[in-house]
């Protein structure tokens, strides 16, 4: 299955998503925060819902990616969104959504929303990506989510499964600003193999914008797809989804250009 990113909608703090993808800096306050205007809800659930509800599309399958902290409000979210969308928590939920979308093989929409907690740096954001199957575009060779509730996830196992699919990708994309979110990866460095070699680019696309939380996983997808279309890279890419959730996600993605379809029938 090949996937075209047909539409990107959203706002990242002071920027719309097109400005963010163009590299325009997000304006922040003294705490390193940037907010979306026009919501005045006291509780976090209502504030996030006010951003995400207008982006749900009843005509296609929807997936909503929420901060891991919202897992405590699972019943609240299921009551409001469960009839129209699958609800996931933490960045690894994006990996699961990609897997389900690829399995269904029909147009779908992924929506992520996040907001910084009180007193903490971060960018409030909401982002929706529309995907349609086509004869060229992104190919999802692997989309695996794994983890243990106690937080003692064997990240090494999921890295090895990724290396079985691609021994040496062109780039590895990871969450985080300044590499802080890589702490979970450090005990498993020996499992990276050639992924840690000099010929593999490690990219942190959201680092130039600020802390995007779960919205960063969709931003990274849009950034990756744009790079393929512009010819910035052409080989396989790995997306690692790490955050405070005990779950982790790993996707292996490549791009099949239109002119290469006849030579790539598998």
């Amino acid at each position: 299955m090949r996937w075209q990113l047909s539409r990107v909608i959203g706002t990242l703090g002071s920027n719309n998503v097109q400005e963010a993808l163009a590299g325009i800096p997000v304006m922040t306050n003294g705490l390193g925060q940037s907010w979306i205007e026009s919501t005045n809800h006291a509780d976090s659930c209502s504030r996030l819902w006010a951003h995400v509800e207008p982006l749900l599309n009843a005509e296609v399958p929807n997936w909503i990616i929420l901060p891991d902290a919202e897992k405590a409000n699972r019943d609240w979210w299921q009551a409001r969104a469960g009839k129209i969308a699958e609800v996931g928590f933490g960045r690894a939920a994006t990996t699961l959504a990609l897997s389900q979308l690829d399995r269904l093989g029909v147009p779908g929409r992924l929506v992520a929303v996040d907001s910084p907690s009180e007193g903490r740096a971060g960018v409030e954001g909401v982002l929706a990506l529309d995907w349609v199957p086509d004869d060229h575009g992104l190919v999802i060779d692997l989309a695996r989510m794994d983890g243990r509730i106690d937080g003692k996830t064997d990240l090494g196992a999921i890295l090895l499964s990724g290396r079985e699919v691609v021994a040496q990708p062109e780039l590895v994309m990871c969450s985080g600003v300044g590499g802080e979110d890589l702490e979970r990866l450090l005990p498993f460095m020996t499992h990276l193999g050639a992924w840690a070699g000099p010929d593999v680019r490690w990219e942190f696309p959201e680092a130039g914008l600020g802390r995007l939380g779960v919205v960063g996983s969709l931003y990274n997808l849009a950034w990756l797809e744009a790079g393929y279309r512009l010819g910035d890279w052409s080989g396989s890419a790995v997306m690692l989804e790490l955050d405070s959730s005990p779950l982790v996600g790993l996707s292996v993605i490549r791009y099949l250009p239109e002119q290469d379809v006849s030579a790539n029938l598998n």
Side-chain angles (χ1 to χ4, degrees):
M1 184 68 66
R2 285 81 169 171
W3 294 97
Q4 286 285 327
L5 179 56
S6 62
R7 192 178 183 193
V8 181
I9 318 165
T11 306
L12 303 177
S14 62
N15 291 4
N16 61 49
V17 65
Q18 287 75 23
E19 291 172 332
L21 288 169
I24 298 174
V26 174
M27 296 179 62
T28 59
N29 61 20
L31 294 175
Q33 299 172 333
S34 188
W35 302 87
I36 302 174
E37 298 179 355
S38 77
T39 55
N40 297 297
H41 299 279
D43 64 284
S44 65
C45 292
S46 297
R47 183 176 183 86
L48 296 178
W49 178 244
H51 292 320
V52 77
E53 183 183 19
L55 294 177
L56 297 179
N57 181 357
E59 297 183 359
V60 300
N62 293 259
W63 287 265
I64 302 174
I65 317 300
L66 296 165
D68 183 57
E70 287 297 316
K71 195 181 299 180
N73 303 315
R74 182 189 297 272
D75 292 344
W76 191 99
W77 283 101
Q78 284 296 133
R80 282 154 183 80
K83 292 183 179 180
I84 191 174
E86 292 286 336
V87 180
F89 304 91
R91 292 181 67 119
T94 298
T95 308
L96 179 60
L98 285 176
S99 175
Q100 292 174 339
L101 175 69
D102 199 47
R103 191 179 306 117
L104 286 174
V106 298
R109 173 171 287 191
L110 274 62
V111 183
V113 63
D114 207 338
S115 187
S117 56
E118 185 176 355
R120 291 182 62 89
V123 175
E124 184 174 68
V126 59
L127 193 55
L129 305 182
D130 283 349
W131 297 95
V132 294
D134 206 334
D135 59 4
H136 67 286
L138 295 185
V139 179
I140 303 169
D141 288 325
L142 176 70
R144 180 181 172 189
M145 183 179 75
D146 200 1
R148 291 171 47 174
I149 300 302
D150 61 9
K152 298 178 180 178
T153 298
D154 185 359
L155 185 52
I158 200 171
L159 292 173
L160 291 176
S161 68
R163 287 174 55 196
E164 291 177 356
V165 176
V166 55
Q168 183 172 301
E170 184 172 351
L171 68 157
V172 176
M173 299 171 56
C174 202
S175 57
V177 179
E180 294 94 334
D181 292 332
L182 287 179
E183 291 183 5
R184 292 178 65 187
L185 186 60
L186 292 178
F188 302 97
M189 295 299 288
T190 57
H191 293 77
L192 290 171
W195 290 13
D199 296 325
V200 178
R201 296 168 51 177
W202 279 67
E203 297 283 354
F204 301 83
E206 64 207 87
L209 298 173
R211 295 187 177 279
L212 302 182
V214 293
V215 177
S217 60
L218 295 198
Y219 176 80
N220 288 355
L221 265 173
W223 186 86
L224 176 68
E225 191 270 348
Y228 276 126
R229 285 189 291 103
L230 294 172
D232 294 335
W233 39 79
S234 58
S236 292
V238 173
M239 292 189 63
L240 277 172
E241 302 293 1
L242 304 170
D243 60 7
S244 60
S245 167
L247 302 177
V248 298
L250 187 150
S251 302
V252 178
I253 296 172
R254 56 190 166 95
Y255 188 80
L256 183 63
E258 188 172 10
Q259 64 267 27
D260 290 344
V261 172
S262 61
N264 292 269
L265 299 179
N266 61 333

